[in-house]
Amino acid sequence: MPRLIIGAMVRTIGAYPSGWRYPGAHRDPRGDAAVLRRTAEVAEQAGLDYLFFGDWLATGHDLEYRDPYLVARIDPLSAITFLAGITRRIGLIATANTTYSDPYALARATASIDVLSGGRAGLNLVTGAEARAAGNFGLDFHAANDARYDRAVEFDQVLRRLWDSFEDDAIVADAEGGVYLDPDKLHPTDFHGEHLSVTGPLNAVRPVQGHLPIVHAGTSPRSLLFAAQYADLALVAVSGREQASAIREDLRALAFEAGRDDRTLKVIAPVLPIVGETREHAQQIADRLSELIQVAEDWPDAPPAAFPANRSLAHLAGVVGVDLTGLTPDRAITADLVAGFTPLGQELVEIVTERTGRLIGGERPPTLRHLVAAASVSASMVVGSAAEIAAEFAAWADAEAVDGFNVLSATQPAQFEAFATGVVPELRRLGVFPEVDDEASDAAAGRDLTLRERLGLARPENVHVAARAGDFHTGVFQA
């Protein structure tokens, strides 16, 4: 059975919209340092491959209800720099937006972090798609958005050229001979494109990994193409195993067409497991999270102006095809009501039953609030005991639907620790995840593995050396 890549997508106040309201949950970003430290400690002990930090370059009142973890958060590069000094083995992946970032500054920062961490840094490249973020950087949103992937392609190429400014042995450091640098092995970037122009060379040595592993997330055709051409990890949200298998096949076909070895592209799916001591316990947790979801009808007059439109009974009525006027969010769902639901509405009822254990006609039937939660929160959830969740992961691995998972935690720290200490050992028992010491270090070299090595990726050749040799497919894939 294939070895799964397992990383954790860190959201310090929880990934589920109501997670911060759950009893015992961390909820104040001013205390994030302690949560990050504890998360890294637990993740490294569990042997996870990496910690992943997303980003969002704006804030607003609407995020309080839609995605509270985005309201205020630590800068990703700052987070992985902080954690690099207090961890030893785990990979650390930060997000940067190619629409607004400066490639020279980002290349310098990431190369530095890779050197300081011993080759454990990774970079998630995203593109701008939010008007407020454009305004924060003094750009016209529509103009920036139209060209965002064209700029991203140039950005990737510039990063690689900058990272490769120094050849690995460019620093001679011959004290006796008085020779510090071999000038023939220091290369200018000399990139002048439609969106970017960088001369270089970079004033930082080549990263330990050569190039940091590149991650890209998205499901649009242009996003999938970018991932296939340039990324090492393609982060793709999927609704199920069949869709995952199809997207993985499509991505690898695109990678092959781009001149890559398609096996070097790893497809990773985000997943939000709700882990309990038993399935019933996990369902109780999921049930409580649903009950804590606010809907528009909770306000007697009207919800706040920024409240999400899809978090309402009015929106739900359109989904299920039944007039819900006059009903309250906590109205129990009856068989008579469900009889008039659309197929999608009936599917929502099945999802709620699977996640919460609530049965129509039972002692605790599902409510309209549960349906709103299921319809409006798009996270791919798996609810069950540690063994049940591990078995589901293993089934995806056996079907070769994905190469790994980016695990979100509904609440911090309880749900993350339940996954790390409960599910991960079960994954090892099933043979889809290695023992902590099996892949933690290269004993022959006397060092810990780099992130690229943990992900099964070769160290790329220097692009300037490859260009000199006429091998233009090494390191940089042409669009």
Side-chain angles (χ1 to χ4, degrees):
M1 191 175 288
R3 183 261 207 233
L4 284 172
I5 295 166
I6 303 292
M9 188 179 291
V10 182
R11 295 176 179 175
T12 55
I13 67 164
Y16 197 81
S18 62
W20 67 275
R21 301 183 67 196
Y22 195 85
H26 172 64
R27 54 180 61 103
D28 188 343
R30 290 171 293 186
D32 278 0
V35 174
L36 291 177
R37 184 184 293 271
R38 176 61 180 165
T39 298
E41 178 183 288
V42 171
E44 192 155 72
Q45 288 175 351
L48 297 188
D49 291 310
Y50 59 79
L51 296 175
F52 178 100
F53 294 86
D55 202 13
W56 193 256
L57 297 173
T59 191
H61 192 214
D62 58 312
L63 298 176
E64 175 184 350
Y65 305 104
R66 194 187 80 202
D67 295 304
Y69 69 91
L70 292 177
V71 171
R73 61 188 301 173
I74 300 294
D75 164 71
L77 286 174
S78 300
I80 70 168
T81 303
F82 170 63
L83 294 178
I86 57 177
T87 56
R88 199 191 88 191
R89 297 187 302 269
I90 196 165
L92 301 165
I93 300 176
T95 294
N97 195 308
T98 61
T99 305
Y100 310 118
S101 297
D102 175 81
Y104 190 93
L106 184 63
R108 188 184 188 203
T110 51
S112 299
I113 296 169
D114 201 54
V115 170
L116 294 172
S117 67
R120 294 185 289 125
L123 185 59
N124 176 39
L125 292 180
V126 300
T127 64
E130 214 268 350
R132 288 177 297 189
N136 288 340
F137 289 87
L139 298 177
D140 174 72
F141 167 66
H142 296 290
N145 202 45
D146 287 344
R148 60 193 176 112
Y149 275 104
D150 295 332
R151 178 181 165 92
V153 167
E154 292 187 5
F155 203 104
D156 178 273
Q157 294 177 0
V158 170
L159 274 181
R160 296 177 193 273
R161 295 188 190 195
L162 285 167
W163 283 334
D164 287 348
S165 295
F166 286 84
E167 293 184 33
D168 291 322
D169 57 352
I171 302 295
V172 178
D174 178 3
E176 185 174 343
V179 178
Y180 186 72
L181 170 69
D182 182 343
D184 292 333
K185 295 184 177 182
L186 177 62
H187 303 278
T189 306
D190 283 342
F191 186 96
H192 304 285
E194 183 180 352
H195 302 279
L196 296 170
S197 181
V198 182
T199 55
L202 188 68
N203 62 340
V205 295
R206 194 174 191 229
V208 174
Q209 300 177 92
H211 302 168
L212 277 64
I214 296 295
V215 185
H216 184 66
T219 55
S220 72
R222 191 69 196 274
S223 177
L224 292 174
L225 180 61
F226 182 87
Q229 291 178 322
Y230 302 104
D232 299 295
L233 302 184
L235 183 59
V236 183
V238 293
S239 59
R241 200 184 307 169
E242 288 186 8
Q243 185 193 19
S245 295
I247 290 179
R248 183 173 184 263
E249 186 175 338
D250 290 345
L251 276 166
R252 290 200 161 183
L254 288 170
F256 183 80
E257 291 171 8
R260 295 181 61 174
D261 178 348
D262 60 330
R263 295 168 298 179
T264 64
L265 177 61
K266 312 293 184 179
V267 179
I268 310 296
V271 62
L272 196 159
I274 303 293
V275 189
E277 296 175 5
T278 63
R279 180 172 179 77
E280 291 72 24
H281 179 223
Q283 288 175 329
Q284 290 170 11
I285 296 171
D287 184 45
R288 184 60 179 145
L289 288 167
S290 295
E291 290 179 325
L292 291 171
I293 285 282
Q294 294 173 294
V295 302
E297 287 75 12
D298 287 331
W299 283 266
D301 299 318
F307 196 81
N310 67 345
R311 197 80 61 77
S312 68
L313 298 188
H315 183 269
L316 179 65
V319 174
V320 302
V322 171
D323 184 8
L324 303 175
T325 304
L327 301 184
T328 63
D330 296 313
R331 159 72 182 268
I333 300 168
T334 62
D336 288 342
L337 188 63
V338 173
F341 279 11
T342 61
L344 179 55
Q346 293 177 4
E347 183 181 336
L348 282 176
V349 175
E350 292 173 4
I351 290 172
V352 169
T353 296
E354 180 183 349
R355 291 179 179 177
T356 68
R358 288 183 175 241
L359 291 169
I360 293 175
E363 277 187 35
R364 299 178 68 245
T367 68
L368 293 173
R369 187 183 303 275
H370 287 88
L371 290 188
V372 171
S376 62
V377 180
S378 60
S380 178
M381 292 176 65
V382 182
V383 180
S385 67
E388 289 170 329
I389 290 171
E392 181 68 13
F393 279 26
W396 283 56
D398 191 43
E400 298 186 346
V402 294
D403 298 288
F405 292 97
N406 242 16
V407 176
L408 299 105
S409 297
T411 68
Q412 281 280 19
Q415 276 296 296
F416 174 72
E417 296 190 7
F419 178 85
T421 61
V423 178
V424 173
E426 291 291 334
L427 291 171
R428 291 198 174 95
R429 184 181 63 79
L430 295 173
V432 295
F433 199 63
E435 295 293 334
V436 175
D437 294 332
D438 285 355
E439 292 189 351
S441 63
D442 181 344
R447 62 171 178 81
D448 294 318
L449 294 183
T450 67
L451 177 56
R452 293 192 73 90
E453 290 169 331
R454 290 183 71 104
L455 299 175
L457 301 170
R459 190 173 189 267
E461 186 179 357
N462 187 298
V463 296
H464 301 292
V465 175
R468 188 168 56 205
D471 182 3
F472 293 102
H473 286 291
T474 302
V476 174
F477 308 102
Q478 303 302 314

